Amino acid sequence: AKESGRNNFQFYRPEMTKHALEQMQMKTSLRQAIDNEEFIIHYQPQVDIATDTLVGIEALLRWQHPSKGLLTPKKFISLAEETGMILEIDDWVMHTTMKQVSKWYHDGLDPGKLALNISMRHLEAPNFIYRIQNTMDSYGFKPEWLELEITEGHMMKNAMEIINKLKQVSKLGINISIDDFGTGYSSLSLLKRLPINRLKIDKSFIEDIPEDEEDLTIINSIIALAKSLNLKVIAEGVETIEQINFLKSKKCKYVQGHYYFYPMSADELQEILLTNNE
Ligand code: C2E
Ligand code: CA
Ligand code: CA
Ligand code: CA
């Protein structure tokens, strides 16, 4: 509930200033973070629930902040997007992960597909395709190892341009999935025109399984929709056995979430890949 009263004015102003100041400091330190490479990647496995096998890994960005500790993207991604710094950050992520994943493949390990989160700003950049191609070439990274996760967010605004770009991506042999599916605004007709391979059911629909009837209905329709469009489905944010059982009964083949794995460092993931290889 919003408190309104005579104290609002006095209370609000210093807060605003504090917020503005914090934003400014954050902007400066984000700039330094890029220059000093203060970022690291955590990887979270994606699992085939029928066989309990690891089929892919999502790269999740972390900022090792000099004084605030390890920060998740919630604390800095929107600022990075507003300032355009996300282009450099996503570029760093692409280089770091492709280099790492290529090395794993060349060492005989099998991390499955690498899923990368691509912000709209990055996708819209004129040299986006060139940058992906170039980075893959530098590390001997094969396009079939890659899956791009994009959100429905503002897709409608630039539909033609985005469809064309994703078609080029798809032609390279790269997979594309729609992230946070069900929370955005993409229309069914747009979905049909996009060259996508997979829908990722947003975790907000998963968290209240099996209590929330509405969520169960939504999940059912997403799975039916995917089937009719010949798309795969993955559920994110899966934490409990009840959720796994429900998803299994609905023939949702892939999941990602704390039930199986938390996001982890490259070293920790490598241990798992080595064990899988034995
Ligand atoms: P997302 O793509 O929807 O990523 C899934 C988020 O769910 C991750 O949060 C992950 O840590 C969290 N998660 C995984 N399993 C569970 C679970 O079982 N339960 C719950 N409650 N949460 C779980 P994270 O790492 O904080 O990332 C937040 C968002 O930041 C991501 O959401 C993605 O949109 C963005 N992001 C992450 N890495 C990058 C990146 O390299 N580039 C860009 N542009 N965005 C990124
Ligand atoms: Ca994602
Ligand atoms: Ca999500
Ligand atoms: Ca819910």
Side-chain angles (χ1 to χ4, degrees), residues 25-169:
Q25 285 167 343
M26 211 45 183
K27 208 164 135 179
T28 310
S29 54
L30 195 55
R31 180 71 257 159
Q32 284 166 355
I34 295 172
D35 296 339
N36 303 339
E37 299 200 36
E38 289 168 5
F39 297 107
I40 56 166
I41 300 293
H42 277 182
Y43 295 92
Q44 186 177 35
Q46 302 179 332
V47 176
D48 179 337
I49 38 178
T51 56
D52 274 5
T53 45
L54 186 155
V55 293
I57 50 174
E58 180 178 17
L60 294 163
L61 184 64
R62 302 288 179 260
W63 175 8
Q64 189 65 68
H65 191 280
S67 59
K68 293 186 207 288
L70 197 64
L71 303 183
T72 59
K74 194 173 64 205
K75 295 266 161 55
F76 61 90
I77 279 283
S78 57
L79 184 65
E81 280 175 346
E82 282 161 32
T83 56
M85 287 192 258
I86 193 67
L87 294 179
E88 285 169 89
I89 296 173
D90 275 358
D91 216 49
W92 178 87
V93 171
M94 224 157 63
H95 273 271
T96 307
T97 57
M98 285 188 186
K99 186 177 177 187
Q100 175 68 79
V101 168
S102 290
K103 184 173 180 307
W104 280 329
Y105 273 112
H106 291 121
D107 290 345
L109 300 177
D110 185 8
K113 278 192 204 305
L114 166 69
L116 290 184
N117 291 289
I118 300 293
S119 77
M120 230 4 113
R121 283 285 296 260
H122 194 191
L123 186 65
E124 283 169 346
N127 58 358
F128 177 70
I129 306 286
Y130 170 80
R131 278 153 65 154
I132 289 201
Q133 180 76 72
N134 214 22
T135 316
M136 290 195 302
D137 290 349
S138 332
Y139 302 110
F141 186 100
K142 295 190 185 146
E144 64 263 30
W145 294 341
L146 187 60
E147 172 159 20
L148 301 185
E149 295 194 356
I150 53 171
T151 52
E152 310 165 82
H154 304 288
M155 234 176 246
M156 295 299 283
K157 213 178 61 195
N158 257 332
M160 279 307 286
E161 195 194 319
I162 286 165
I163 291 170
N164 282 333
K165 204 153 254 186
L166 292 180
K167 278 187 174 156
Q168 294 178 60
V169 169

Side-chain angles (χ1 to χ4, degrees), residues 183-243:
T183 63
Y185 304 100
S186 62
S187 69
L188 295 181
S189 67
L190 174 62
L191 210 57
K192 216 179 82 186
R193 282 150 65 213
L194 288 169
I196 49 177
N197 308 87
R198 192 153 78 157
L199 301 180
K200 195 167 193 181
I201 305 175
D202 189 63
K203 59 176 173 291
S204 61
F205 303 119
I206 305 296
E207 64 191 3
D208 300 322
I209 292 177
E211 284 85 20
D212 191 320
E213 297 278 339
E214 247 167 44
D215 286 347
L216 301 187
T217 309
I218 291 170
I219 295 168
N220 271 329
S221 16
I222 294 177
I223 292 172
L225 173 68
K227 202 172 171 197
S228 69
L229 293 173
N230 214 358
L231 303 172
K232 293 177 179 161
V233 193
I234 181 168
E236 67 171 13
V238 175
E239 297 178 354
T240 68
I241 186 70
E242 287 79 14
Q243 293 165 348

